[in-house]
Amino acid sequence: MILLVAINAKYIHSNLAVYSLKAYAADPDVEIVEYTINQQVDDVLMDIYRRRPDVLCFSCYIWNLDFVEELIRELGKLRPGMPIWLGGPEVSYDAREVLRRLPQVKGVMKGEGEVTFAKLCRIYHCVDDSSEMVDISGKKGENFRQSEERIRLQVDNRLLHVDGITFRLLNGDVVENSWREVMDLSEVPFVYADMKEFEHKIVYYESSRGCPFSCSYCLSSVDKKLRFRDLSLVKRELQFFIDHKVPQVKFVDRTFNCRHDHSMAIWQYILEHDNGITNFHFEVAADILNEEELALMERMRPGLIQLEIGVQSTNPDTIRAIRRTMDFEKVAGIVRRIQNMGNIHQHLDLIAGLPYEDIESFAKSFDDVYALRPEQLQLGFLKVLKGSFMEEHQEEYGLVHKDRPPYEVLYTRWLSYEDVMRLKGIEEMVEVYYNSRQFTNTMEELVREYASAFQMYDDLSHFYEESGYGSVQHKRSTRYAILLEYIALHFPQKVEYYREKLTYDYYLRENAKSRPEFAGEYKVEKAELRSFYENEENSRRYLPAYEAYDRNQMRKMTHLEYFASTKEYILFDYMERNPLNQEARVCIVESV
């Protein structure tokens, strides 16, 4: 049995690569097992050992390589004769170094792996047409007459003719075969025949491979052979997801909209066949979206698609240095236009640690992107990937990074380690107070107190650090209380105003059973509350969708709050949430 092992970052993730390898090989003796980096190494080690694979293959990425290497070292002691193969972007570009570092590993599959893996399967399962029958599985048949060493020598001889691998001969010498020519993407089988395997997981799908751009930090720029899956196949496979009401399909295409007719055909199809449930995620270049595509998007159901847009920096010198092609003014205009549609989530990305970007320049990039108010602002840090243009020029940029995955930047000629630490704190605050979407109205108002959004999150980060809050796991209501404490320190005259903003944000998302302490005293009198729901039971003026519910049920499914600053009663309706952001429907109650 050949075992394909995926170590994912989270349980909800799945590994498309191993499923593609198995489907293309069409070998019934290939099995897949998925774990996560959050599991104990010993538990994974024991589970693999119990499975008793004859050949073991790991899918390697920056987030799991340390975990995989620890497993390999221990498995080499427990199963010293078992061939171990690695594949994936984290081992493809320094295969010799991988074999030097891990003597337990037989070989590395480099780059695109479907054809390569299928050939390895035939070699290890004795059905390769170019040689006589060989069996090294441990289940030796009657015709077995050769020593194990002789068998392994025959396997080595066969491996010499397999493109796309670097491997270790029986005598210890390393052979580096040529990279394999890329395949027709339409030849890759559809891997999702049984959706039970992917229940409660994000489903990944690719309609293209390669990228037309040459970003220096990205491995997609190494392979310029951009290929597209046949649209008739894509539509049939998308319909499968739609029919099975898959919650989310995440396209892994590097730049989905790089070919207009391809992206239009797919977006048109999912618009016409929308099941009201499935969400599709795309990574796009915003500045090449055209009028036809934008007009189509405007017709989509809220939540049908979401877009990820990599801005990375707004510094022109940085953009040129990383070999990107981007017109930020055009990007900003497109992002605002999509935002005004009100039906599409947008995630915008920034990368800290790029060439020519010092702390002041990054602050400007941050403020430029923050001003667009995307649903998510991802502040990431440069990862110096093996085989990338950035790795080749790290000395030129004074770029120093961690030795272990994910090879994250420590400092550059323009950005000190102190700056990186500062940005780490800001990243955390953005995740908590912006990307969580739990403080939207409060942060929208609070940022007006500052000349710069960057400065606001920087100050908030310093407050967390000085108050000892940074290293503690806080429950949700505590995050509100901490923000109010910060506001009381910096804007003491506006504490009550911001208390109401925070209370509004809190109830906008959560039908809390008990009142959080930060919200202060509940200002709606019991008699007012009783009167409102009695009247609503009779008139359904504010809750017309609650005809099947009595006053007590309506009271449990909604929340009424009085805000002194505006002298308004606000009703929060949790049954009719916004499908895009899951916020409660709100309405002003004229009198209670």
Side-chain angles (χ1 to χ4, degrees):
M1 181 261 286
I2 297 176
L3 185 64
L4 285 165
V5 179
I7 313 286
N8 301 321
K10 297 179 181 178
Y11 173 76
I12 61 169
H13 296 167
S14 57
N15 185 305
L16 179 59
V18 295
Y19 288 95
S20 291
L21 296 183
K22 175 179 168 63
Y24 187 82
D27 186 333
D29 288 328
V30 174
E31 295 183 10
I32 292 173
V33 61
E34 294 188 270
Y35 307 101
T36 79
I37 57 174
N38 301 310
Q39 293 178 250
Q40 294 295 318
V41 172
D42 275 352
D43 291 340
V44 176
L45 178 68
M46 288 188 287
D47 189 64
I48 292 174
Y49 182 82
R50 288 189 191 104
R51 293 172 186 269
R52 305 293 296 180
D54 302 304
V55 181
L56 184 61
C57 305
F58 286 97
S59 181
C60 301
Y61 299 87
I62 54 175
W63 63 79
N64 71 9
L65 189 63
D66 282 340
F67 196 106
V68 169
E69 289 195 4
E70 186 173 352
L71 281 172
I72 288 170
R73 291 188 178 96
E74 304 311 326
L75 286 164
K77 301 170 188 174
L78 297 170
R79 297 284 308 281
M82 176 178 58
I84 298 176
W85 285 83
L86 308 182
E90 193 46 43
V91 294
S92 288
Y93 297 93
D94 67 337
R96 280 185 174 272
E97 168 58 22
V98 170
L99 294 180
R100 185 202 63 78
R101 190 169 68 241
L102 297 169
Q104 305 87 351
V105 172
K106 175 65 178 177
V108 173
M109 291 179 277
K110 302 180 293 188
E112 196 168 78
E114 283 89 353
V115 175
T116 305
F117 179 71
K119 286 186 175 292
L120 292 183
C121 287
R122 288 200 293 271
I123 287 173
Y124 283 113
H125 283 319
C126 326
V127 292
D128 189 79
D129 295 335
S130 64
S131 183
E132 61 185 271
M133 294 286 288
V134 175
D135 187 338
I136 66 161
S137 66
K139 305 164 187 173
K140 301 177 175 62
E142 293 180 6
N143 295 328
F144 182 78
R145 299 184 182 90
Q146 300 169 302
S147 68
E148 189 168 294
E149 183 173 330
R150 177 65 174 163
I151 296 169
R152 295 186 185 279
L153 282 170
Q154 286 198 4
V155 169
D156 281 358
N157 287 335
R158 293 182 178 193
L159 292 175
L160 289 169
H161 305 288
V162 178
D163 289 340
I165 63 172
T166 296
F167 70 101
R168 194 192 318 274
L169 292 167
L170 193 61
N171 65 9
D173 291 346
V174 171
V175 176
E176 191 157 8
N177 291 353
S178 300
W179 282 66
R180 180 176 299 285
E181 283 297 313
V182 297
M183 65 186 297
D184 181 346
L185 189 56
S186 298
E187 293 178 2
V188 178
F190 185 60
V191 305
Y192 293 108
D194 183 4
M195 289 307 300
K196 290 181 180 178
E197 293 183 61
F198 303 96
E199 208 169 0
H200 310 302
K201 292 192 174 187
I202 298 171
V203 168
Y204 296 93
Y205 182 79
E206 61 179 343
S207 71
S208 67
R209 281 184 185 173
C211 184
F213 304 117
S214 302
C215 304
S216 63
Y217 50 82
C218 179
L219 288 179
S220 293
S221 63
V222 176
D223 175 16
K224 303 301 294 181
K225 296 178 180 176
L226 181 59
R227 295 147 286 151
F228 297 86
R229 193 166 177 83
D230 184 85
L231 281 170
S232 62
L233 284 176
V234 172
K235 291 176 181 179
R236 187 159 64 244
E237 290 156 3
L238 292 180
Q239 190 60 50
F240 178 87
F241 296 137
I242 292 166
D243 290 344
H244 284 80
K245 295 181 171 58
V246 173
Q248 184 178 58
V249 177
K250 191 166 185 176
F251 277 67
V252 296
D253 304 39
R254 299 310 302 161
T255 306
F256 174 75
N257 62 321
C258 63
R259 197 175 88 182
H260 172 66
D261 62 332
H262 184 80
S263 57
M264 273 297 293
I266 291 174
W267 281 335
Q268 183 73 43
Y269 189 87
I270 64 174
L271 171 64
E272 293 175 355
H273 297 81
D274 180 18
N275 62 10
I277 296 171
T278 303
N279 163 266
F280 297 89
H281 177 106
F282 303 93
E283 187 171 340
V284 301
D287 50 342
I288 63 172
L289 288 170
N290 63 27
E291 286 298 321
E292 189 179 13
E293 289 167 327
L294 291 167
L296 185 64
M297 288 180 186
E298 196 165 10
R299 296 163 49 203
M300 292 179 173
R301 163 181 61 85
L304 175 59
I305 71 170
Q306 63 188 44
L307 303 178
E308 183 175 347
I309 300 165
V311 177
Q312 320 315 7
S313 172
T314 64
N315 182 329
D317 293 333
T318 300
I319 294 298
R320 280 191 293 272
I322 63 177
R323 308 194 300 178
R324 273 181 67 80
T325 302
M326 184 194 67
D327 179 345
F328 179 68
E329 289 307 313
K330 189 171 183 181
V331 169
I334 295 293
V335 168
R336 291 191 184 98
R337 180 168 170 181
I338 294 172
Q339 191 175 60
N340 289 336
M341 296 176 189
N343 61 341
I344 296 172
H345 264 293
Q346 296 183 93
H347 297 190
L348 270 58
D349 300 337
L350 285 172
I351 297 178
L354 295 173
Y356 301 101
E357 187 104 271
D358 59 17
I359 192 72
E360 289 77 19
S361 170
F362 187 84
K364 182 182 183 307
S365 291
F366 182 94
D367 287 337
D368 288 342
V369 173
Y370 192 88
L372 300 178
R373 302 297 192 267
E375 278 69 31
Q376 298 276 300
L377 198 171
Q378 300 294 339
L379 197 172
F381 291 81
L382 177 64
K383 296 170 179 60
V384 185
L385 304 179
K386 292 183 177 69
S388 68
F389 179 89
M390 190 66 70
E391 184 195 35
E392 295 174 9
H393 291 76
Q394 57 186 314
E395 187 173 338
E396 174 188 343
Y397 299 141
L399 175 56
V400 176
H401 60 85
K402 294 179 180 178
D403 287 338
R404 298 301 304 164
Y407 314 111
E408 200 169 81
V409 63
L410 291 170
Y411 61 88
T412 73
R413 182 186 299 174
W414 300 273
L415 201 69
S416 69
Y417 184 57
E418 287 78 9
D419 293 333
V420 170
M421 289 193 296
R422 182 178 170 188
L423 293 176
K424 286 283 186 181
I426 293 171
E427 177 197 27
E428 175 64 18
M429 293 300 97
V430 170
E431 284 298 312
V432 170
Y433 289 108
Y434 187 85
N435 289 342
S436 70
R437 310 308 292 171
Q438 296 170 359
F439 305 85
T440 308
N441 296 281
T442 305
M443 300 310 288
E444 185 69 26
E445 192 66 25
L446 188 60
V447 76
R448 302 177 195 275
E449 313 279 0
Y450 293 84
S452 158
F454 182 88
Q455 187 62 54
M456 176 181 71
Y457 287 101
D458 195 21
D459 288 353
L460 189 54
S461 173
H462 284 307
F463 173 75
Y464 258 70
E465 184 179 350
E466 292 168 359
S467 304
Y469 293 139
S471 58
V472 180
Q473 289 290 330
H474 301 287
K475 63 180 183 181
R476 182 180 166 191
S477 60
T478 303
R479 295 288 192 185
Y480 286 82
I482 291 172
L483 184 55
L484 188 62
E485 183 184 340
Y486 169 81
I487 290 168
L489 180 65
H490 292 272
F491 310 102
Q493 73 281 10
K494 294 187 175 181
V495 170
E496 291 308 313
Y497 174 75
Y498 279 108
R499 186 193 306 278
E500 289 197 346
K501 286 289 181 185
L502 285 164
T503 301
Y504 183 92
D505 276 332
Y506 186 80
Y507 283 110
L508 192 60
R509 289 155 188 84
E510 185 165 327
N511 185 10
K513 302 301 180 185
S514 58
R515 190 168 182 81
E517 188 174 343
F518 77 85
E521 183 181 351
Y522 187 46
K523 297 184 177 69
V524 181
E525 299 292 338
K526 288 183 179 180
E528 293 177 319
L529 200 62
R530 183 170 58 252
S531 173
F532 171 76
Y533 284 105
E534 285 176 356
N535 292 334
E536 198 58 26
E537 185 177 40
N538 296 322
S539 67
R540 313 287 174 173
R541 179 180 178 185
Y542 299 103
L543 298 171
Y546 284 70
E547 289 185 359
Y549 302 98
D550 62 26
R551 69 186 73 172
N552 293 324
Q553 290 170 317
M554 286 190 290
R555 185 168 175 175
K556 290 178 181 178
M557 299 166 69
T558 62
H559 176 75
L560 186 66
E561 185 77 23
Y562 179 72
F563 294 94
S565 61
T566 58
K567 297 182 173 58
E568 290 177 332
Y569 289 91
I570 301 291
L571 181 65
F572 298 88
D573 174 6
Y574 301 106
M575 188 167 72
E576 294 193 2
R577 291 180 181 267
N578 184 318
L580 197 61
N581 55 27
Q582 293 304 304
E583 291 179 355
R585 180 180 73 91
V586 298
C587 54
I588 299 173
V589 175
E590 293 179 3
S591 61
V592 295

